[in-house]
């Protein structure tokens, strides 16, 4: 599904919009939510109780999602002339922020909340004005790197929440 949405974004980019750059930051969020979702994993309780569960399992599943998505985004980004730095750091920051916020409200809710916020406050206005926001300018890479680092620290500090069945994470 994520690859299909990305392909549609590339087609629209070739027609003149910059939808790929706008959607790339939130592209892995749905996959990350699905990878650690009770509703999508019928063996969630069994998996969550194994010795390798918790942050280790969440990170392995997240890397699996990124391993599928990034090889698709890289060539497509170059095809439309978008620098990987323009969308890769926001993509990693959103993925890490989904996990960090997921330690508080659950990964699925975090993914929906972050993606909805991004679409409402960044994608929508950008499509209306037909220009990329300053958040996606190459000069904002440092801010995305800081956001990614802060979210990673939160994930590490709250890693134990991924091992609790009742937490909803």
């Amino acid at each position: 599904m994520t690859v299909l949405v990305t392909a549609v974004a590339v087609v629209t980019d070739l027609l003149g919009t910059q939808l790929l750059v706008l959607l790339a930051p939130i592209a892995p969020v749905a996959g990350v939510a699905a990878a650690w979702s009770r509703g999508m994993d019928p063996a969630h309780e069994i998996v969550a109780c194994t010795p390798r569960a918790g942050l280790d399992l969440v990170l392995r599943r997240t890397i699996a999602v990124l391993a599928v998505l990034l090889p698709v985004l890289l060539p497509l980004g170059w095809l439309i002339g978008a620098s990987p730095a323009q969308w890769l750091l926001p993509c990693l920051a959103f993925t890490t922020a989904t996990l960090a916020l997921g330690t508080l409200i659950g990964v699925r809710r975090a993914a929906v909340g972050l993606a909805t916020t991004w679409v409402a406050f960044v994608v929508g206005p950008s499509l209306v004005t037909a220009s990329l926001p300053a958040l996606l300018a190459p000069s904002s890479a440092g801010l995305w790197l800081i956001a990614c680092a802060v979210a990673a620290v939160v994930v590490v500090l709250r890693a134990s929440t991924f091992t609790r069945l009742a937490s909803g994470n």
Side-chain angles (χ1 to χ4, degrees), residues 81-139:
S83 164
Q86 194 174 10
W87 55 265
L88 184 57
L89 278 174
C91 181
L92 296 175
F94 263 93
T95 302
T96 312
T98 299
L99 296 176
L101 188 57
T103 65
L104 299 170
I105 63 172
V107 176
R108 187 172 26 143
R109 284 187 218 127
V112 169
L114 288 172
T116 302
T117 302
W118 182 258
V119 168
F121 293 105
V122 177
V123 175
S126 294
L127 292 177
V128 170
T129 63
S131 64
L132 282 178
L135 281 171
L136 292 174
S139 60

Side-chain angles (χ1 to χ4, degrees), residues 6-165:
T6 305
V8 169
V10 167
V11 170
T12 61
D13 276 348
L14 293 173
L15 296 174
T17 67
Q18 295 182 324
L19 198 56
L20 178 69
V21 175
L22 289 169
L23 293 179
I26 59 170
V29 171
V32 170
W36 192 255
S37 172
R38 293 172 193 264
M40 301 204 59
D41 185 358
H44 178 78
E45 289 83 9
I46 294 169
V47 171
C49 292
T50 63
R52 300 284 297 183
L55 182 59
D56 183 50
L57 181 61
V58 171
L59 292 178
R60 280 188 278 136
R61 288 182 175 187
T62 300
I63 288 169
V65 170
L66 292 174
V68 170
L69 186 62
L70 292 181
V72 173
L73 287 174
L74 280 170
L76 295 179
W78 284 318
L79 176 70
I80 64 165
S83 164
Q86 194 174 10
W87 55 265
L88 184 57
L89 278 174
C91 181
L92 296 175
F94 263 93
T95 302
T96 312
T98 299
L99 296 176
L101 188 57
T103 65
L104 299 170
I105 63 172
V107 176
R108 187 172 26 143
R109 284 187 218 127
V112 169
L114 288 172
T116 302
T117 302
W118 182 258
V119 168
F121 293 105
V122 177
V123 175
S126 294
L127 292 177
V128 170
T129 63
S131 64
L132 282 178
L135 281 171
L136 292 174
S139 60
S140 66
L143 295 174
W144 288 108
L145 192 58
I146 291 168
C148 194
V150 168
V153 168
V154 171
V155 169
V156 170
L157 291 176
R158 297 194 40 86
S160 66
T161 61
F162 290 110
T163 60
R164 291 188 224 135
L165 287 175

